[in-house]
Amino acid sequence: MNKEEQDIFRAETRAWLESNCPRSMREKVQEESDYYWGGKNGTFKNEDQKIWFERMLAKGWTVPYWHKKYGGGGLSAIENKILNEEMASLGCRKPLFSFGISMLGPALQKFATEEQKDKYLPEIVKGEIRWCQGYSEPNAGSDLAGLQCRADDMGDYFLVNGSKIWTSYGNKADWIFCLVRTDFGSKKQRGISFLLIDMATEGVSTRPIKLISGKSPFTETFFNNVRVPKENLVGELNMGWSIAKYLLTHERQMIGDMGKNDEQVKTHNIAIEHIGLQNGILADTILRTELAQHEMNEAIFEMTIERAIDEAKAGNNSGATSSLFKYYGTELNMERMELQLALSGNQELVMDNPANQNGLLANAMLRSKGNSIEGGTSEIQLNIIAKNILGLPNN
Amino acid sequence: MALVLNEEQVLLKSSAVDFFNSKAPLEAFRKLRDENNPVGFDRSLYAEMVELGFAGLIIPENRGGFDFGYVALGQILEVNGRTLAASPLISSVLLSATVLNLAGTEEQKSTLLPLIASGELLLSLAHEENTLHNPTRVNCTATKEGEHYKLNGSKVFVLDVHVANKIIVVARTSEGNEGIRLFLVDVQSPGLSIHRTQMLDNRNAGNISLEHVIISESDKLAGGFDELCRVYDIAAIGLAAEMLGIAQEAFERTISYLKERKQFGVSIGSFQALQHRAAKMFIEIELSKSVVIKALTAIDENWVNLSELASLAKSKLGQTVKLVTNEAIQMHGGIGMTDDMDFGFFIKRARVLQQTMGDYNYHLDRYASLNGY
Ligand SMILES: Cc1cc2nc3c(=O)[nH]c(=O)nc-3n(C[C@H](O)[C@H](O)[C@H](O)COP(=O)(O)OP(=O)(O)OC[C@H]3O[C@@H](n4cnc5c(N)ncnc54)[C@H](O)[C@@H]3O)c2cc1C
């Protein structure tokens, strides 16, 4: 696509977004339900959310960069980048969120059979099925490969027994992609398989876990003699670990993206509003230093994402891996939350005031503490960089 | 422009790596230091650099240069940072050729730029007067007397000044920023005295004083404060590129040492306390690469918010090179403190670069101001 074609695509896209994205779908996201996650029980918060979803879906733009045969938009990397830029500049919300798009989809594209892709990918694009992730177990967190949830080969089906924990949205999801042990004899990474399980199957149950941030978006998930059809296995039996790791790189990339500050309102604007300027300089000069340091790192982090994309396009290995983005992006997000809370003073600590959406920011700060844990902890990301990239030896 | 090097730039960079490794390894600089070389750099080495075109990279083709741009010059500076080869590349090319490109009269450009590209002319920029970088605090005066200007005042931290043929002096013709102008001063001028200083990094710098130095109108540059500020931005970015080279070299050597050195019967690199610090340095270096290439690109593309990028690059690289040079010594233990190991050279050069054209605090403060807070 040459420069001229890009400009045309950009102009057309912008015009389309301007006339099709409802006003309210360009406003800042305030709460969880402002996102549409799809699923069998998915509900739209309001008419605008529904209209926006349906219009985007009709263009394949719920997942714009997936192939048209799966219902995606078939956009090239550059077209997708342009679409994202135009959506960001108008403040358009994403029409559909899901772990199917950000995690399972990429893994299926790489490892699944054609039949599996034809079945699952369109469901994800259309938001028909909501997926959750069954990786962690009570005794297998950072040491994920030590997982014990088992699937026994019963001839024409697998019989699954065990439990998963920290299943985000386990109570809202329709299906779960699971890591299960199918071989207890060999090295721990060897005996793992990647299985897709319909949560409506008999024997699957969940129990909510309450978080420090009040909401209860995750569950413990139990499997009690659950029969899973053989065709739900992705990839080869006992070879699920490489799929698991591949999916994790996408998850980490996605989590790391939170290091970008896509909000129209930058943290320093909040600071100016609360603290004020004195001779053009933030009145609290110590906070100003912290803030500038933070916003500079934010800007440089975005350049690093940009560089990684450009290097990938040029076929180079940029060295900037998903572990880097996961580690640094979550550090930035957590720091941003702390800064915003600090500079907003005591009023953001009031939890029953509609003016601050009942402590929205305080809860967001608390929720952000999970960023350096979910998807593999910060320590694990540093281990990966040290060993896999720098080649430092094991102890 | 994408944040990757094009084919031409990749080739240039790899030839620079070969050149500096074979012709100007760190030992060469060590030797200059040990013999207390009066010139402070190797003239024949600079001639070879000129031969390879390094001095003409940012000079237009019609002025005897190659017009490769600042991304290209940045690659040379980065590679140069790995071996710390001393040369007038920063004073004559990054600073002075940029001043002439942006602020010179047609006459000055056509006579001087070709001489910089051919290595025949060495120029220094005399701008600092204070202990900290401060573009507006200029007390050196230029008083108009008939057809001439009379320069009075003194300057510090003038890079390579004792070997320069000409000096570009920043002086004040009147109050306010509009009064800040640039003048070309021949080193033979009566009333000019030059004093070489011994710097921490063993590189060339000096102080000058000007007493009633007479300058003709034709030696006044066309541009003034605005152009000068852009020069400072470009210079800050160029220096950030050199700091990136230093940081990478010190880091890579440290990682090798972590693999080699054994204590308690194992490589010290197997200790997680060190692994995590190494991984964090890796991350800081990757971020640093991004901001440097972005800022270099912004110079070539003539971005209006170049100052913001310059402050990002200079402050980030200041922090990164500080972290890495400190950790390099710490992770080497006692041997890291010895002059025989090269880490002393890296930390000394880094500290001088951190100060040149504004330190971390200067650029942090400026970044906040540019963003309206
Ligand atoms: C908000 C949130 C959402 C989540 N969503 C999901 C989900 O949807 N699906 C899912 O499967 N899981 C999910 N998780 C689980 C998450 O992946 C795990 O919590 C994580 O991998 C850490 O495992 P753990 O909790 O058992 O901690 P542990 O592994 O017990 O770690 C405890 C501490 O020890 C450190 N540690 C452990 N090993 C090492 C080591 N080798 N070197 C240095 N330090 C080490 C850790 O970094 C951590 O600080 C979620 C977690 C959170 C917080």
Side-chain angles (χ1 to χ4, degrees), chain A residues 40-53:
Chain A
K40 288 181 181 154
N41 303 317
T43 50
F44 294 103
K45 188 182 183 184
N46 51 45
E47 195 54 26
D48 277 355
Q49 198 182 52
K50 181 159 184 274
I51 291 172
W52 179 224
F53 169 76

Side-chain angles (χ1 to χ4, degrees), chain A residues 99 103 132-144 164-170 176-177 179 211 217-219 248 251-252 255 367 369-381 383 387, chain B residues 272 275-276:
Chain A
F99 295 159
M103 295 193 234
C132 64
Q133 178 186 34
Y135 273 33
S136 307
E137 296 178 9
N139 289 317
S142 297
D143 185 15
L144 181 60
K164 294 288 171 182
I165 196 167
W166 323 127
T167 320
S168 293
Y169 308 115
I176 183 167
F177 51 91
L179 296 180
L211 284 178
F218 58 26
T219 66
L248 275 174
E251 179 179 7
R252 287 168 184 162
I255 297 174
R367 173 60 184 83
K369 300 303 160 196
N371 298 162
S372 48
I373 301 171
E374 58 200 310
T377 68
S378 286
E379 289 77 13
I380 294 300
Q381 305 315 313
N383 286 348
K387 298 205 173 95
Chain B
Q272 201 180 48
Q275 288 185 343
H276 283 192

